[in-house]
Every structure is written in structure tokens, then in C-alpha cells.
């Protein structure tokens, strides 16, 4: 399957005009990871993002005294990475493959330039990525509640 065909079938890009997909493929390439491969850690430069085609990638973040704590898993049809879109372009989470995984990897700088050169495409992709951001922040909130629970009130 070519990168263009991979983009055509990925749910994240559903409904984009066909003319935009070939432009995005100029910044895309297929990749595969083995279980245990760490893609990035929180705080590192965010220079890529991925559309996951198969397998599973776990998102985590460092918690003092607890190490890297898992917050969510991303599987086929998911999007991995949004920190590349907003300065200072540093990962907010970490990611590690938990199963053999395949994805389409994008060069973030190239896609940012493309988005800046076409306002309509830029708005469309930004809106889609904002949905990803909201989902990740919600998953983080739920995971933190699992870790720390609700404060209890002292009985009088």
C-alpha cells in the first residue's frame, strides 16, 4: 500500500478533499515499531506525528515517585502526537509501542509549512488535532483521578 492509499483509508483524514492528500504524502512515510520501542519522552522536541495503522502504542507521563505512568493506548485508526503543532514543540507525554505497530509518520515542520501556506487546510487539520488534544487531556484527568482519587472530607 502506498502512503497515499494509507492516508485515504485512515479515519483521521476522512472527508478531506482528495487534492489535499497528495500534498500531505510529501511529508509522510510508513514506519513500523517492535514492542518496547520508545518513540519519545515528555519534554523532548516534537518533530513528527503519526497516524497509527495497526498495533498499539501506550502514552505515559512522568509522575514524581512513580516513574512513567500509562494514561492511554492508541491503536489502529488513532493519532499519535499533537505537541508538534504548538510552540515550543515539546512532547507533553511519552509513547512506547506495546505491540508490533505500523503507522504513517509525518515530518512536523513540513506539515506546519503546508498548513501555513493553505489557510483552509490549516484550519481543517488544526480542528482535527484539537479534538485529539481534548481526548488526551481528558484521558490524563481520568488517569490522575485513578492515581490520586478524590480528597476525602474529615468527619466532624
Amino acid at each position: 500500500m502506498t502512503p497515499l492509499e494509507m492516508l485515504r483509508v485512515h479515519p483521521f483524514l476522512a472527508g478531506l478533499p482528495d487534492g489535499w492528500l497528495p500534498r500531505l504524502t510529501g511529508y509522510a512515510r510508513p514506519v513500523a515499531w517492535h514492542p518496547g520501542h520508545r518513540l519519545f519522552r515528555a519534554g523532548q522536541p516534537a518533530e513528527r506525528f503519526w497516524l497509527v495503522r495497526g498495533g498499539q502504542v501506550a502514552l505515559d507521563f512522568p509522575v514524581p515517585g512513580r516513574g512513567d505512568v500509562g494514561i492511554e493506548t492508541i491503536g489502529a485508526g488513532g493519532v499519535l502526537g499533537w505537541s508538534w503543532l504548538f510552540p515550543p514543540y515539546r512532547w507533553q507525554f511519552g509513547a512506547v509501542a506495546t505491540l508490533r505497530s505500523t503507522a504513517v509518520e509525518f515530518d512536523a515542520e513540513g506539515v506546519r509549512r503546508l498548513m501555513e501556506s493553505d489557510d483552509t487546510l490549516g484550519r481543517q487539520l488544526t480542528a482535527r488535532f484539537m479534538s485529539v488534544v481534548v481526548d488526551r487531556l481528558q484521558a490524563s484527568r481520568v488517569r490522575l483521578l485513578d492515581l490520586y482519587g478524590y480528597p476525602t472530607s474529615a468527619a466532624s
Side-chain angles (χ1 to χ4, degrees):
M1 187 178 277
T2 68
L4 180 58
E5 291 167 333
M6 291 176 197
L7 298 187
R8 281 193 175 118
V9 299
H10 199 280
F12 181 73
L13 299 176
L16 282 183
D18 276 343
W20 287 350
L21 297 179
R23 294 169 65 196
L24 285 168
T25 60
Y27 304 103
R29 70 183 185 104
V31 295
W33 309 296
H34 294 287
H37 175 77
R38 177 152 297 270
L39 285 78
F40 53 86
R41 288 194 179 279
Q44 290 179 328
E47 299 168 339
R48 308 177 266 274
F49 68 94
W50 300 268
L51 301 181
V52 179
R53 298 185 56 235
Q56 188 172 315
V57 177
L59 294 179
D60 57 27
F61 61 90
V63 174
R66 294 186 187 227
D68 292 329
V69 174
I71 58 163
E72 186 178 11
T73 56
I74 310 300
V79 178
L80 182 60
W82 55 263
S83 300
W84 63 275
L85 193 52
F86 306 104
Y89 310 121
R90 299 248 172 224
W91 294 117
Q92 299 300 306
F93 304 109
V96 62
T98 57
L99 300 173
R100 185 181 186 288
S101 303
T102 58
V104 179
E105 179 180 273
F106 290 85
D107 171 69
E109 185 177 346
V111 174
R112 281 195 307 266
R113 281 194 315 266
L114 182 60
M115 291 170 66
E116 290 169 6
S117 72
D118 184 328
D119 287 340
T120 306
L121 172 61
R123 280 192 306 275
Q124 193 52 233
L125 288 177
T126 299
R128 290 167 188 243
F129 274 102
M130 286 308 299
S131 178
V132 173
V133 171
V134 169
D135 289 346
R136 297 290 146 71
L137 293 176
Q138 178 65 13
S140 299
R141 184 179 77 81
V142 168
R143 185 63 175 125
L144 286 172
L145 288 174
D146 287 345
L147 287 173
Y148 296 105
Y150 292 98
T152 58
S153 59
S156 302

